[in-house]
Amino acid sequence: MRIKVLAFAGFREALGKERELDVRDGATVGEALQALAESLPRFKEEAFEQSGAIRDYVLLMVNRKRIDPLQDLSRRLQDGDELAVFPPVAGG
Amino acid sequence: MMPLIEITEEEISIDQLMRRARRPEAGAIVSFTGTVRDDGIEQMVVEAFPEAAKAEMQAIVDEATGRFSLLSAGVVHRTGSLAVGESIVAIVCSAAHRQEAFDGCRYIIEELKSRVPIWKKEIGKDGGRWVEGMR
C-alpha cells in the first residue's frame, strides 16, 4: 500500500515537503518511520536516538490528528493515509 | 475580504480585523500583534501545516468564544519570509466588556503558541536556526 508523508520545519529539510511511501499492507506508524530512516540517513540521525528509540521532539499526525509518538507507533496505517512528521510547534 | 481565521503570505491588515470585530453589543475590542524582534537576525521564515493549523486555530477560537463570551474573534498568521518589525500574527477579540476581550485574546495567543503547527526559522548572517518549540 502507499501512504503520503508530509514533513515540516527541520524534518522537511531532511525528508522533503511531501513524498509517497510504499509500505507493506497493515504497516504501522513505527514501520513507516523506520523505512524513511533507512532510506534517509539525515532523517534517521534527526529523528532517532542511537538506541533506535524515536526522539522526544518528533511529533506526528495521522490524517491531521495528533497521535502519541510514544504510545501509537504500533498503530496500523491504511492505504492513502497521510502521516505528518514535525518538531514541537513554535508559531506566534 | 480576509477570512477571520487565516494563514497568509500577504501582509496582515489589523485594521480589517478591527473593523470586522465591531458589534453593536460590543463594549471592547482587544488586539494582539506578534512581530519579528531584532535578535540580531536578518529575517524570519515562517512555515505552517496550513490545513491542520487552520483547524487548530478554529478549535482555539471556538474554545475562547465559549469561555469568555466573545462576540467575535479573528486570528491571522503570516507565513513566508518576514523582515524585522513585520507582523507574524494578529488576534482581535470583541466582547461586551474589556475583561473578556483581554482574556480571550490572551487565551488565543497562548494556546496558538503551544498547539498550532507553525514553525519559525531565524535567518542570520551565519545561516538559519529553527526556533525551539513547545512540546
Side-chain angles (χ1 to χ4, degrees):
Chain A
M1 65 179 193
R2 180 170 285 182
I3 63 164
K4 183 156 89 175
V5 178
L6 303 180
F8 297 94
F11 293 125
R12 174 182 51 73
E13 292 172 344
L15 283 175
K17 186 175 184 179
E18 183 177 332
R19 60 169 60 226
E20 310 257 278
L21 181 69
D22 289 316
V23 288
R24 70 172 182 86
D25 284 357
T28 63
V29 171
E31 286 169 355
L33 293 172
Q34 285 293 347
L36 291 168
E38 276 160 30
S39 61
L40 296 150
R42 182 174 169 193
F43 174 67
K44 185 175 187 177
E45 198 170 304
E46 289 185 6
F48 289 88
E49 308 277 2
Q50 292 282 346
S51 67
I54 194 160
R55 291 190 194 271
D56 64 359
Y57 59 73
V58 179
L59 301 182
L60 302 168
M61 276 187 189
V62 174
N63 301 331
R64 298 180 194 161
K65 299 278 182 229
R66 284 280 276 268
I67 64 166
D68 185 334
L70 296 176
Q71 309 277 330
D72 299 335
L73 289 181
S74 58
R75 174 179 162 148
R76 291 195 185 282
L77 293 164
Q78 296 186 330
D79 188 45
D81 273 356
E82 176 193 274
L83 174 65
V85 184
F86 52 86
V89 305
Chain B
M1 192 183 279
M2 191 177 270
L4 281 176
I5 292 176
E6 178 75 324
I7 291 173
T8 178
E9 295 209 344
E10 310 287 314
E11 203 174 318
I12 296 172
S13 167
I14 192 88
D15 292 344
Q16 203 183 101
L17 282 170
M18 293 288 276
R19 272 199 304 280
R20 296 186 62 195
R22 290 182 187 278
R23 298 283 184 284
E25 323 86 275
I29 300 174
V30 170
S31 74
F32 170 82
T33 304
T35 56
V36 179
R37 183 177 52 237
D38 186 0
D39 287 336
I41 65 171
E42 299 195 331
Q43 55 174 328
M44 176 88 86
V45 174
V46 183
E47 178 175 332
F49 181 177
E51 302 83 1
K54 276 168 85 167
E56 196 67 30
M57 284 157 68
Q58 181 68 59
I60 293 167
V61 161
D62 291 347
E63 290 161 20
T65 301
R67 283 186 194 209
F68 305 106
S69 304
L70 301 180
L71 295 167
S72 77
V75 187
V76 179
H77 205 295
R78 181 92 184 268
T79 54
S81 188
L82 279 70
V84 167
E86 283 195 89
S87 299
I88 305 171
V89 62
I91 299 168
V92 176
C93 294
S94 62
H97 304 285
R98 66 185 181 284
Q99 183 76 47
E100 291 89 340
F102 273 116
D103 289 350
C105 217
R106 180 73 191 251
Y107 180 85
I108 292 171
I109 185 60
E110 300 300 341
E111 293 298 308
L112 182 148
K113 288 181 86 81
S114 68
R115 289 164 53 183
V116 175
I118 296 176
W119 303 269
K120 297 193 293 259
K121 190 174 193 176
E122 296 174 342
I123 310 295
K125 286 190 187 68
D126 308 320
R129 188 188 71 88
W130 288 102
V131 175
E132 202 168 311
M134 298 201 201
R135 305 202 175 181

PDB file of all heavy atoms in Angstrom, chain B residues 98-132:
ATOM      1  N   ARG B  98     -14.293  44.773  28.655  1.00  0.00           N
ATOM      2  CA  ARG B  98     -12.864  44.636  28.363  1.00  0.00           C
ATOM      3  C   ARG B  98     -12.238  43.380  28.941  1.00  0.00           C
ATOM      4  O   ARG B  98     -11.349  42.794  28.328  1.00  0.00           O
ATOM      5  CB  ARG B  98     -12.090  45.881  28.828  1.00  0.00           C
ATOM      6  CG  ARG B  98     -12.084  46.068  30.340  1.00  0.00           C
ATOM      7  CD  ARG B  98     -11.415  47.381  30.733  1.00  0.00           C
ATOM      8  NE  ARG B  98     -11.367  47.582  32.170  1.00  0.00           N
ATOM      9  CZ  ARG B  98     -12.401  47.954  32.920  1.00  0.00           C
ATOM     10  NH1 ARG B  98     -13.592  48.159  32.365  1.00  0.00           N
ATOM     11  NH2 ARG B  98     -12.265  48.114  34.220  1.00  0.00           N
ATOM     12  N   GLN B  99     -12.698  42.975  30.132  1.00  0.00           N
ATOM     13  CA  GLN B  99     -12.073  41.807  30.765  1.00  0.00           C
ATOM     14  C   GLN B  99     -12.150  40.576  29.858  1.00  0.00           C
ATOM     15  O   GLN B  99     -11.152  39.885  29.645  1.00  0.00           O
ATOM     16  CB  GLN B  99     -12.772  41.510  32.092  1.00  0.00           C
ATOM     17  CG  GLN B  99     -12.150  40.351  32.870  1.00  0.00           C
ATOM     18  CD  GLN B  99     -10.846  40.756  33.549  1.00  0.00           C
ATOM     19  OE1 GLN B  99     -10.777  41.799  34.193  1.00  0.00           O
ATOM     20  NE2 GLN B  99      -9.823  39.939  33.389  1.00  0.00           N
ATOM     21  N   GLU B 100     -13.325  40.319  29.315  1.00  0.00           N
ATOM     22  CA  GLU B 100     -13.497  39.149  28.447  1.00  0.00           C
ATOM     23  C   GLU B 100     -12.662  39.286  27.175  1.00  0.00           C
ATOM     24  O   GLU B 100     -12.072  38.315  26.692  1.00  0.00           O
ATOM     25  CB  GLU B 100     -14.972  38.963  28.056  1.00  0.00           C
ATOM     26  CG  GLU B 100     -15.879  38.545  29.186  1.00  0.00           C
ATOM     27  CD  GLU B 100     -16.467  39.723  29.945  1.00  0.00           C
ATOM     28  OE1 GLU B 100     -15.914  40.845  29.866  1.00  0.00           O
ATOM     29  OE2 GLU B 100     -17.492  39.511  30.623  1.00  0.00           O
ATOM     30  N   ALA B 101     -12.627  40.500  26.643  1.00  0.00           N
ATOM     31  CA  ALA B 101     -11.874  40.699  25.395  1.00  0.00           C
ATOM     32  C   ALA B 101     -10.375  40.489  25.627  1.00  0.00           C
ATOM     33  O   ALA B 101      -9.690  39.838  24.828  1.00  0.00           O
ATOM     34  CB  ALA B 101     -12.152  42.096  24.835  1.00  0.00           C
ATOM     35  N   PHE B 102      -9.847  41.035  26.751  1.00  0.00           N
ATOM     36  CA  PHE B 102      -8.430  40.811  27.088  1.00  0.00           C
ATOM     37  C   PHE B 102      -8.169  39.321  27.321  1.00  0.00           C
ATOM     38  O   PHE B 102      -7.208  38.760  26.797  1.00  0.00           O
ATOM     39  CB  PHE B 102      -8.045  41.577  28.364  1.00  0.00           C
ATOM     40  CG  PHE B 102      -7.602  42.998  28.129  1.00  0.00           C
ATOM     41  CD1 PHE B 102      -8.329  44.064  28.638  1.00  0.00           C
ATOM     42  CD2 PHE B 102      -6.449  43.281  27.399  1.00  0.00           C
ATOM     43  CE1 PHE B 102      -7.932  45.374  28.437  1.00  0.00           C
ATOM     44  CE2 PHE B 102      -6.033  44.591  27.191  1.00  0.00           C
ATOM     45  CZ  PHE B 102      -6.778  45.642  27.711  1.00  0.00           C
ATOM     46  N   ASP B 103      -9.006  38.696  28.126  1.00  0.00           N
ATOM     47  CA  ASP B 103      -8.790  37.283  28.464  1.00  0.00           C
ATOM     48  C   ASP B 103      -8.868  36.389  27.220  1.00  0.00           C
ATOM     49  O   ASP B 103      -8.090  35.446  27.071  1.00  0.00           O
ATOM     50  CB  ASP B 103      -9.831  36.808  29.495  1.00  0.00           C
ATOM     51  CG  ASP B 103      -9.597  37.417  30.872  1.00  0.00           C
ATOM     52  OD1 ASP B 103      -8.542  38.050  31.074  1.00  0.00           O
ATOM     53  OD2 ASP B 103     -10.480  37.267  31.732  1.00  0.00           O
ATOM     54  N   GLY B 104      -9.803  36.696  26.340  1.00  0.00           N
ATOM     55  CA  GLY B 104      -9.953  35.916  25.119  1.00  0.00           C
ATOM     56  C   GLY B 104      -8.732  36.028  24.231  1.00  0.00           C
ATOM     57  O   GLY B 104      -8.218  35.032  23.702  1.00  0.00           O
ATOM     58  N   CYS B 105      -8.235  37.244  24.100  1.00  0.00           N
ATOM     59  CA  CYS B 105      -7.062  37.493  23.260  1.00  0.00           C
ATOM     60  C   CYS B 105      -5.843  36.756  23.835  1.00  0.00           C
ATOM     61  O   CYS B 105      -5.092  36.105  23.110  1.00  0.00           O
ATOM     62  CB  CYS B 105      -6.807  39.001  23.244  1.00  0.00           C
ATOM     63  SG  CYS B 105      -6.253  39.623  21.682  1.00  0.00           S
ATOM     64  N   ARG B 106      -5.683  36.849  25.140  1.00  0.00           N
ATOM     65  CA  ARG B 106      -4.575  36.191  25.822  1.00  0.00           C
ATOM     66  C   ARG B 106      -4.654  34.667  25.649  1.00  0.00           C
ATOM     67  O   ARG B 106      -3.663  34.006  25.355  1.00  0.00           O
ATOM     68  CB  ARG B 106      -4.626  36.565  27.318  1.00  0.00           C
ATOM     69  CG  ARG B 106      -3.523  35.958  28.165  1.00  0.00           C
ATOM     70  CD  ARG B 106      -2.231  36.674  27.859  1.00  0.00           C
ATOM     71  NE  ARG B 106      -1.100  36.004  28.430  1.00  0.00           N
ATOM     72  CZ  ARG B 106      -0.405  36.488  29.459  1.00  0.00           C
ATOM     73  NH1 ARG B 106      -0.741  37.621  30.014  1.00  0.00           N
ATOM     74  NH2 ARG B 106       0.647  35.837  29.899  1.00  0.00           N
ATOM     75  N   TYR B 107      -5.849  34.141  25.837  1.00  0.00           N
ATOM     76  CA  TYR B 107      -6.046  32.695  25.708  1.00  0.00           C
ATOM     77  C   TYR B 107      -5.669  32.233  24.295  1.00  0.00           C
ATOM     78  O   TYR B 107      -4.959  31.246  24.116  1.00  0.00           O
ATOM     79  CB  TYR B 107      -7.512  32.350  25.992  1.00  0.00           C
ATOM     80  CG  TYR B 107      -7.827  30.874  25.880  1.00  0.00           C
ATOM     81  CD1 TYR B 107      -7.613  30.023  26.947  1.00  0.00           C
ATOM     82  CD2 TYR B 107      -8.324  30.339  24.688  1.00  0.00           C
ATOM     83  CE1 TYR B 107      -7.886  28.665  26.840  1.00  0.00           C
ATOM     84  CE2 TYR B 107      -8.599  28.980  24.574  1.00  0.00           C
ATOM     85  CZ  TYR B 107      -8.378  28.150  25.653  1.00  0.00           C
ATOM     86  OH  TYR B 107      -8.636  26.812  25.541  1.00  0.00           O
ATOM     87  N   ILE B 108      -6.133  32.976  23.304  1.00  0.00           N
ATOM     88  CA  ILE B 108      -5.883  32.556  21.915  1.00  0.00           C
ATOM     89  C   ILE B 108      -4.391  32.566  21.589  1.00  0.00           C
ATOM     90  O   ILE B 108      -3.870  31.601  21.017  1.00  0.00           O
ATOM     91  CB  ILE B 108      -6.690  33.425  20.933  1.00  0.00           C
ATOM     92  CG1 ILE B 108      -8.199  33.130  21.093  1.00  0.00           C
ATOM     93  CG2 ILE B 108      -6.250  33.166  19.489  1.00  0.00           C
ATOM     94  CD1 ILE B 108      -9.112  34.088  20.337  1.00  0.00           C
ATOM     95  N   ILE B 109      -3.662  33.604  21.988  1.00  0.00           N
ATOM     96  CA  ILE B 109      -2.234  33.621  21.633  1.00  0.00           C
ATOM     97  C   ILE B 109      -1.468  32.541  22.394  1.00  0.00           C
ATOM     98  O   ILE B 109      -0.597  31.864  21.827  1.00  0.00           O
ATOM     99  CB  ILE B 109      -1.582  35.021  21.813  1.00  0.00           C
ATOM    100  CG1 ILE B 109      -0.127  35.015  21.321  1.00  0.00           C
ATOM    101  CG2 ILE B 109      -1.641  35.536  23.243  1.00  0.00           C
ATOM    102  CD1 ILE B 109       0.075  34.659  19.873  1.00  0.00           C
ATOM    103  N   GLU B 110      -1.802  32.331  23.665  1.00  0.00           N
ATOM    104  CA  GLU B 110      -1.055  31.309  24.422  1.00  0.00           C
ATOM    105  C   GLU B 110      -1.323  29.910  23.866  1.00  0.00           C
ATOM    106  O   GLU B 110      -0.400  29.104  23.715  1.00  0.00           O
ATOM    107  CB  GLU B 110      -1.424  31.349  25.913  1.00  0.00           C
ATOM    108  CG  GLU B 110      -1.127  32.668  26.614  1.00  0.00           C
ATOM    109  CD  GLU B 110       0.348  33.073  26.600  1.00  0.00           C
ATOM    110  OE1 GLU B 110       1.218  32.206  26.377  1.00  0.00           O
ATOM    111  OE2 GLU B 110       0.626  34.269  26.798  1.00  0.00           O
ATOM    112  N   GLU B 111      -2.560  29.613  23.551  1.00  0.00           N
ATOM    113  CA  GLU B 111      -2.890  28.292  23.004  1.00  0.00           C
ATOM    114  C   GLU B 111      -2.306  28.122  21.603  1.00  0.00           C
ATOM    115  O   GLU B 111      -1.828  27.048  21.243  1.00  0.00           O
ATOM    116  CB  GLU B 111      -4.411  28.093  22.976  1.00  0.00           C
ATOM    117  CG  GLU B 111      -5.052  28.018  24.345  1.00  0.00           C
ATOM    118  CD  GLU B 111      -4.561  26.833  25.169  1.00  0.00           C
ATOM    119  OE1 GLU B 111      -4.597  25.700  24.670  1.00  0.00           O
ATOM    120  OE2 GLU B 111      -4.128  27.055  26.317  1.00  0.00           O
ATOM    121  N   LEU B 112      -2.355  29.195  20.819  1.00  0.00           N
ATOM    122  CA  LEU B 112      -1.787  29.136  19.463  1.00  0.00           C
ATOM    123  C   LEU B 112      -0.305  28.753  19.532  1.00  0.00           C
ATOM    124  O   LEU B 112       0.160  27.884  18.798  1.00  0.00           O
ATOM    125  CB  LEU B 112      -1.977  30.488  18.764  1.00  0.00           C
ATOM    126  CG  LEU B 112      -1.482  30.600  17.321  1.00  0.00           C
ATOM    127  CD1 LEU B 112      -2.369  31.567  16.524  1.00  0.00           C
ATOM    128  CD2 LEU B 112      -0.038  31.066  17.223  1.00  0.00           C
ATOM    129  N   LYS B 113       0.416  29.404  20.439  1.00  0.00           N
ATOM    130  CA  LYS B 113       1.853  29.150  20.522  1.00  0.00           C
ATOM    131  C   LYS B 113       2.168  27.718  20.935  1.00  0.00           C
ATOM    132  O   LYS B 113       3.207  27.190  20.576  1.00  0.00           O
ATOM    133  CB  LYS B 113       2.514  30.131  21.499  1.00  0.00           C
ATOM    134  CG  LYS B 113       2.596  31.545  20.955  1.00  0.00           C
ATOM    135  CD  LYS B 113       3.278  32.492  21.917  1.00  0.00           C
ATOM    136  CE  LYS B 113       4.785  32.500  21.775  1.00  0.00           C
ATOM    137  NZ  LYS B 113       5.267  33.340  20.681  1.00  0.00           N
ATOM    138  N   SER B 114       1.284  27.093  21.693  1.00  0.00           N
ATOM    139  CA  SER B 114       1.604  25.745  22.156  1.00  0.00           C
ATOM    140  C   SER B 114       0.955  24.639  21.326  1.00  0.00           C
ATOM    141  O   SER B 114       1.345  23.491  21.449  1.00  0.00           O
ATOM    142  CB  SER B 114       1.228  25.585  23.633  1.00  0.00           C
ATOM    143  OG  SER B 114      -0.167  25.634  23.784  1.00  0.00           O
ATOM    144  N   ARG B 115      -0.010  24.975  20.478  1.00  0.00           N
ATOM    145  CA  ARG B 115      -0.769  23.913  19.792  1.00  0.00           C
ATOM    146  C   ARG B 115      -0.775  23.959  18.277  1.00  0.00           C
ATOM    147  O   ARG B 115      -0.985  22.930  17.625  1.00  0.00           O
ATOM    148  CB  ARG B 115      -2.233  23.960  20.258  1.00  0.00           C
ATOM    149  CG  ARG B 115      -2.442  23.509  21.672  1.00  0.00           C
ATOM    150  CD  ARG B 115      -3.787  23.923  22.231  1.00  0.00           C
ATOM    151  NE  ARG B 115      -4.922  23.529  21.406  1.00  0.00           N
ATOM    152  CZ  ARG B 115      -6.188  23.846  21.692  1.00  0.00           C
ATOM    153  NH1 ARG B 115      -6.461  24.575  22.787  1.00  0.00           N
ATOM    154  NH2 ARG B 115      -7.169  23.461  20.912  1.00  0.00           N
ATOM    155  N   VAL B 116      -0.644  25.130  17.694  1.00  0.00           N
ATOM    156  CA  VAL B 116      -0.874  25.248  16.249  1.00  0.00           C
ATOM    157  C   VAL B 116       0.405  24.891  15.473  1.00  0.00           C
ATOM    158  O   VAL B 116       1.480  25.414  15.786  1.00  0.00           O
ATOM    159  CB  VAL B 116      -1.357  26.670  15.894  1.00  0.00           C
ATOM    160  CG1 VAL B 116      -1.492  26.837  14.388  1.00  0.00           C
ATOM    161  CG2 VAL B 116      -2.700  26.946  16.579  1.00  0.00           C
ATOM    162  N   PRO B 117       0.300  23.978  14.490  1.00  0.00           N
ATOM    163  CA  PRO B 117       1.507  23.529  13.779  1.00  0.00           C
ATOM    164  C   PRO B 117       2.091  24.589  12.833  1.00  0.00           C
ATOM    165  O   PRO B 117       1.831  24.601  11.639  1.00  0.00           O
ATOM    166  CB  PRO B 117       1.060  22.272  13.036  1.00  0.00           C
ATOM    167  CG  PRO B 117      -0.425  22.377  12.924  1.00  0.00           C
ATOM    168  CD  PRO B 117      -0.891  23.200  14.100  1.00  0.00           C
ATOM    169  N   ILE B 118       2.883  25.462  13.444  1.00  0.00           N
ATOM    170  CA  ILE B 118       3.592  26.525  12.732  1.00  0.00           C
ATOM    171  C   ILE B 118       4.999  26.587  13.333  1.00  0.00           C
ATOM    172  O   ILE B 118       5.170  26.361  14.534  1.00  0.00           O
ATOM    173  CB  ILE B 118       2.869  27.883  12.902  1.00  0.00           C
ATOM    174  CG1 ILE B 118       1.486  27.827  12.248  1.00  0.00           C
ATOM    175  CG2 ILE B 118       3.692  29.028  12.307  1.00  0.00           C
ATOM    176  CD1 ILE B 118       0.637  29.078  12.437  1.00  0.00           C
ATOM    177  N   TRP B 119       5.984  26.891  12.483  1.00  0.00           N
ATOM    178  CA  TRP B 119       7.383  26.917  12.921  1.00  0.00           C
ATOM    179  C   TRP B 119       8.057  28.166  12.387  1.00  0.00           C
ATOM    180  O   TRP B 119       7.676  28.695  11.336  1.00  0.00           O
ATOM    181  CB  TRP B 119       8.120  25.668  12.404  1.00  0.00           C
ATOM    182  CG  TRP B 119       7.457  24.416  12.858  1.00  0.00           C
ATOM    183  CD1 TRP B 119       7.731  23.716  13.994  1.00  0.00           C
ATOM    184  CD2 TRP B 119       6.372  23.722  12.207  1.00  0.00           C
ATOM    185  NE1 TRP B 119       6.880  22.638  14.098  1.00  0.00           N
ATOM    186  CE2 TRP B 119       6.045  22.616  13.014  1.00  0.00           C
ATOM    187  CE3 TRP B 119       5.650  23.928  11.037  1.00  0.00           C
ATOM    188  CZ2 TRP B 119       5.033  21.726  12.691  1.00  0.00           C
ATOM    189  CZ3 TRP B 119       4.637  23.046  10.707  1.00  0.00           C
ATOM    190  CH2 TRP B 119       4.342  21.953  11.516  1.00  0.00           C
ATOM    191  N   LYS B 120       9.093  28.611  13.121  1.00  0.00           N
ATOM    192  CA  LYS B 120       9.820  29.807  12.705  1.00  0.00           C
ATOM    193  C   LYS B 120      11.304  29.493  12.606  1.00  0.00           C
ATOM    194  O   LYS B 120      11.858  28.803  13.454  1.00  0.00           O
ATOM    195  CB  LYS B 120       9.630  30.928  13.737  1.00  0.00           C
ATOM    196  CG  LYS B 120       8.184  31.382  13.889  1.00  0.00           C
ATOM    197  CD  LYS B 120       8.092  32.689  14.657  1.00  0.00           C
ATOM    198  CE  LYS B 120       8.508  32.566  16.094  1.00  0.00           C
ATOM    199  NZ  LYS B 120       7.397  32.475  17.033  1.00  0.00           N
ATOM    200  N   LYS B 121      11.912  30.042  11.562  1.00  0.00           N
ATOM    201  CA  LYS B 121      13.359  29.893  11.415  1.00  0.00           C
ATOM    202  C   LYS B 121      13.979  31.277  11.373  1.00  0.00           C
ATOM    203  O   LYS B 121      13.589  32.107  10.543  1.00  0.00           O
ATOM    204  CB  LYS B 121      13.685  29.118  10.130  1.00  0.00           C
ATOM    205  CG  LYS B 121      15.140  28.718  10.019  1.00  0.00           C
ATOM    206  CD  LYS B 121      15.365  27.827   8.807  1.00  0.00           C
ATOM    207  CE  LYS B 121      16.731  27.166   8.878  1.00  0.00           C
ATOM    208  NZ  LYS B 121      16.940  26.223   7.773  1.00  0.00           N
ATOM    209  N   GLU B 122      14.923  31.519  12.277  1.00  0.00           N
ATOM    210  CA  GLU B 122      15.628  32.797  12.286  1.00  0.00           C
ATOM    211  C   GLU B 122      16.796  32.708  11.314  1.00  0.00           C
ATOM    212  O   GLU B 122      17.591  31.772  11.391  1.00  0.00           O
ATOM    213  CB  GLU B 122      16.161  33.095  13.691  1.00  0.00           C
ATOM    214  CG  GLU B 122      15.067  33.272  14.717  1.00  0.00           C
ATOM    215  CD  GLU B 122      15.613  33.419  16.133  1.00  0.00           C
ATOM    216  OE1 GLU B 122      16.790  33.059  16.366  1.00  0.00           O
ATOM    217  OE2 GLU B 122      14.859  33.871  16.990  1.00  0.00           O
ATOM    218  N   ILE B 123      16.845  33.676  10.401  1.00  0.00           N
ATOM    219  CA  ILE B 123      17.928  33.684   9.425  1.00  0.00           C
ATOM    220  C   ILE B 123      18.896  34.809   9.798  1.00  0.00           C
ATOM    221  O   ILE B 123      18.517  35.985   9.841  1.00  0.00           O
ATOM    222  CB  ILE B 123      17.393  33.924   7.993  1.00  0.00           C
ATOM    223  CG1 ILE B 123      16.222  32.977   7.665  1.00  0.00           C
ATOM    224  CG2 ILE B 123      18.528  33.802   6.975  1.00  0.00           C
ATOM    225  CD1 ILE B 123      16.559  31.506   7.612  1.00  0.00           C
ATOM    226  N   GLY B 124      20.124  34.441  10.088  1.00  0.00           N
ATOM    227  CA  GLY B 124      21.145  35.430  10.448  1.00  0.00           C
ATOM    228  C   GLY B 124      22.259  35.433   9.417  1.00  0.00           C
ATOM    229  O   GLY B 124      22.158  34.780   8.375  1.00  0.00           O
ATOM    230  N   LYS B 125      23.310  36.153   9.734  1.00  0.00           N
ATOM    231  CA  LYS B 125      24.457  36.232   8.805  1.00  0.00           C
ATOM    232  C   LYS B 125      25.096  34.860   8.608  1.00  0.00           C
ATOM    233  O   LYS B 125      25.602  34.543   7.546  1.00  0.00           O
ATOM    234  CB  LYS B 125      25.511  37.193   9.364  1.00  0.00           C
ATOM    235  CG  LYS B 125      25.108  38.650   9.252  1.00  0.00           C
ATOM    236  CD  LYS B 125      26.287  39.561   9.597  1.00  0.00           C
ATOM    237  CE  LYS B 125      25.864  41.004   9.662  1.00  0.00           C
ATOM    238  NZ  LYS B 125      24.966  41.291  10.808  1.00  0.00           N
ATOM    239  N   ASP B 126      25.055  34.048   9.675  1.00  0.00           N
ATOM    240  CA  ASP B 126      25.744  32.757   9.616  1.00  0.00           C
ATOM    241  C   ASP B 126      24.813  31.591   9.308  1.00  0.00           C
ATOM    242  O   ASP B 126      25.114  30.447   9.626  1.00  0.00           O
ATOM    243  CB  ASP B 126      26.451  32.502  10.961  1.00  0.00           C
ATOM    244  CG  ASP B 126      27.326  33.669  11.357  1.00  0.00           C
ATOM    245  OD1 ASP B 126      27.973  34.222  10.454  1.00  0.00           O
ATOM    246  OD2 ASP B 126      27.351  34.032  12.548  1.00  0.00           O
ATOM    247  N   GLY B 127      23.658  31.903   8.740  1.00  0.00           N
ATOM    248  CA  GLY B 127      22.747  30.819   8.381  1.00  0.00           C
ATOM    249  C   GLY B 127      21.488  30.831   9.225  1.00  0.00           C
ATOM    250  O   GLY B 127      21.195  31.810   9.913  1.00  0.00           O
ATOM    251  N   GLY B 128      20.744  29.720   9.153  1.00  0.00           N
ATOM    252  CA  GLY B 128      19.431  29.690   9.809  1.00  0.00           C
ATOM    253  C   GLY B 128      19.403  28.806  11.035  1.00  0.00           C
ATOM    254  O   GLY B 128      20.225  27.907  11.200  1.00  0.00           O
ATOM    255  N   ARG B 129      18.416  29.096  11.904  1.00  0.00           N
ATOM    256  CA  ARG B 129      18.244  28.293  13.113  1.00  0.00           C
ATOM    257  C   ARG B 129      16.742  28.203  13.411  1.00  0.00           C
ATOM    258  O   ARG B 129      16.071  29.237  13.546  1.00  0.00           O
ATOM    259  CB  ARG B 129      18.948  28.982  14.294  1.00  0.00           C
ATOM    260  CG  ARG B 129      19.019  28.173  15.554  1.00  0.00           C
ATOM    261  CD  ARG B 129      19.554  29.036  16.696  1.00  0.00           C
ATOM    262  NE  ARG B 129      18.566  30.036  17.113  1.00  0.00           N
ATOM    263  CZ  ARG B 129      17.621  29.831  18.034  1.00  0.00           C
ATOM    264  NH1 ARG B 129      17.549  28.652  18.645  1.00  0.00           N
ATOM    265  NH2 ARG B 129      16.759  30.776  18.368  1.00  0.00           N
ATOM    266  N   TRP B 130      16.216  26.977  13.488  1.00  0.00           N
ATOM    267  CA  TRP B 130      14.804  26.813  13.828  1.00  0.00           C
ATOM    268  C   TRP B 130      14.587  27.204  15.289  1.00  0.00           C
ATOM    269  O   TRP B 130      15.335  26.774  16.158  1.00  0.00           O
ATOM    270  CB  TRP B 130      14.361  25.358  13.601  1.00  0.00           C
ATOM    271  CG  TRP B 130      14.251  25.019  12.155  1.00  0.00           C
ATOM    272  CD1 TRP B 130      15.167  24.310  11.418  1.00  0.00           C
ATOM    273  CD2 TRP B 130      13.204  25.384  11.254  1.00  0.00           C
ATOM    274  NE1 TRP B 130      14.742  24.221  10.108  1.00  0.00           N
ATOM    275  CE2 TRP B 130      13.547  24.872   9.978  1.00  0.00           C
ATOM    276  CE3 TRP B 130      12.021  26.104  11.389  1.00  0.00           C
ATOM    277  CZ2 TRP B 130      12.739  25.050   8.857  1.00  0.00           C
ATOM    278  CZ3 TRP B 130      11.207  26.289  10.268  1.00  0.00           C
ATOM    279  CH2 TRP B 130      11.577  25.766   9.033  1.00  0.00           C
ATOM    280  N   VAL B 131      13.570  27.992  15.521  1.00  0.00           N
ATOM    281  CA  VAL B 131      13.224  28.386  16.891  1.00  0.00           C
ATOM    282  C   VAL B 131      12.700  27.153  17.613  1.00  0.00           C
ATOM    283  O   VAL B 131      11.830  26.431  17.091  1.00  0.00           O
ATOM    284  CB  VAL B 131      12.162  29.501  16.900  1.00  0.00           C
ATOM    285  CG1 VAL B 131      11.717  29.831  18.322  1.00  0.00           C
ATOM    286  CG2 VAL B 131      12.702  30.744  16.194  1.00  0.00           C
ATOM    287  N   GLU B 132      13.243  26.898  18.799  1.00  0.00           N
ATOM    288  CA  GLU B 132      12.835  25.709  19.550  1.00  0.00           C
ATOM    289  C   GLU B 132      11.396  25.861  20.019  1.00  0.00           C
ATOM    290  O   GLU B 132      11.015  26.883  20.582  1.00  0.00           O
ATOM    291  CB  GLU B 132      13.752  25.520  20.748  1.00  0.00           C
ATOM    292  CG  GLU B 132      13.749  24.107  21.250  1.00  0.00           C
ATOM    293  CD  GLU B 132      14.877  23.861  22.244  1.00  0.00           C
ATOM    294  OE1 GLU B 132      16.032  24.221  21.941  1.00  0.00           O
ATOM    295  OE2 GLU B 132      14.588  23.338  23.318  1.00  0.00           O
TER     296      GLU B 132
END
